[in-house]
Amino acid sequence: MQDLLIEATKYTPYIHFQAEAHRLELSGESYPEDTISFYRPVFEWLEAYLKTYPEDALRVVMQISYFNSSSSKALFDLFDMLDQSAAEGKAVKVEWRYQADDDIALEYGEDFQMDLESLDFELIELEEETDG
Amino acid sequence: MLKKMLELSQGLTDLGIMSCFVGPFTQEFIAEMGSTLRDAMKENNESSSRVVKVFSVVVELSQNILHYSRELLGGGDEEAPLRMGMLAVGKKGDQYFVLSGNLIASEQREELVTYIDRLNGMDKQELRKLYSQKRREGPGPDSKGAGLGFIEMSRKASGPIECSWHEVDGAHRFFSLKIQV
């Protein structure tokens, strides 16, 4: 299937989901006016992908420094889909990346980590000046 | 009128208000206002954590006005109306505060005030637990967001959410909020 590539805007994140490489990346900030519309294609892609992807390990790279409350729900729902895949035995690893001095981004990551049961969810501190 | 402008400006300064907007809210405006605010706070050497917290409260309150304010401007066959409200950011001593005000329907008042009182009575752990539960459950039928906004703001605030309301006419109240960060 085709990759999903959405360029970042002032208030929506960069999203690059690669089907062949089994790599999903989401980075930037998220506070769109209409969260449901923005994330609809993301959910659709992920749903289709998770039905087809084989035994390869799926790597999910997240680096979001801010998201509003409705994005929090959308992101949780995306993670929940991944969590279900993991519960079914698929190898899914999430890397939650945050800048060293950014304790809010760390807390956001911890919030997700605590709420997802089967997912391998790792918090990765980046040195300053690194894009990762 | 011009003398009033000076009085208004001085009055705002006395209250510690650095930035104040009254008018129609759009997503673009919120993004610009937020960006300018963050730049100003960084110029003031505020920690990145503080900057994100204040920004976060500004975005939540502004988007609440954007989605829910009952005071509308314009709107025709093709276009949705703009929603009106007010938003201010200030600093007193070491505390930043964010103020918002907008019209709500009278019947919403009780539910809002009850909810805020409930959140104000919770500690950080309880707020975190409620956040987690609500996030998993999903939004109510009237919500354009996830119903998490107030919990999010409570978690970031350094004190209770203050609110007050005033009757404007039979159907509406002017509802205002103050959140310290």
Side-chain angles (χ1 to χ4, degrees), chain A residues 15-118:
Chain A
I15 299 183
H16 191 195
F17 286 6
Q18 299 171 64
E20 300 293 313
H22 306 295
R23 187 181 190 277
L24 312 183
E25 180 180 345
L26 202 154
S27 59
E29 299 189 328
S30 181
Y31 57 106
E33 180 171 357
D34 186 345
T35 308
I36 294 176
S37 291
F38 176 76
Y39 281 98
R40 184 176 296 120
V42 183
F43 280 110
E44 284 171 0
W45 191 98
L46 189 58
E47 195 174 20
Y49 172 77
L50 290 174
K51 282 191 183 125
T52 64
Y53 101 96
E55 299 309 307
D56 305 65
L58 173 62
R59 185 174 170 222
V60 182
V61 179
M62 308 280 295
Q63 189 169 342
I64 316 180
S65 50
Y66 169 72
F67 48 89
N68 69 355
S69 56
S70 55
S71 297
S72 180
K73 172 60 182 162
L75 292 170
F76 177 81
D77 287 345
L78 286 172
F79 284 133
D80 204 27
M81 287 171 77
L82 295 169
D83 196 40
Q84 287 189 36
S85 266
E88 286 160 13
K90 301 221 171 155
V92 186
K93 166 116 190 232
V94 177
E95 296 171 20
W96 181 273
R97 299 179 173 190
Y98 63 98
Q99 296 294 339
D101 66 341
D102 192 346
D103 36 288
I104 301 290
L106 170 58
E107 192 182 83
Y108 286 150
E110 287 171 338
D111 277 351
F112 283 121
Q113 190 184 48
M114 271 194 269
D115 289 345
L116 299 160
E117 289 161 5
S118 307

Side-chain angles (χ1 to χ4, degrees), chain B residues 99-143:
Chain B
L99 302 163
S100 78
N102 59 274
L103 288 192
I104 62 169
S106 298
E107 56 268 20
Q108 292 174 300
R109 178 196 60 84
E110 198 179 322
E111 191 186 331
L112 266 170
V113 172
T114 306
Y115 188 47
I116 291 169
D117 279 344
R118 181 185 169 204
L119 295 178
N120 282 341
M122 296 172 95
D123 64 28
K124 294 289 178 196
Q125 288 244 47
E126 288 166 324
L127 285 169
R128 210 235 146 248
K129 204 171 158 204
L130 183 65
Y131 181 81
S132 174
Q133 177 198 321
K134 280 221 158 189
R135 182 162 71 172
R136 193 174 267 283
E137 273 168 15
D142 300 321
S143 177

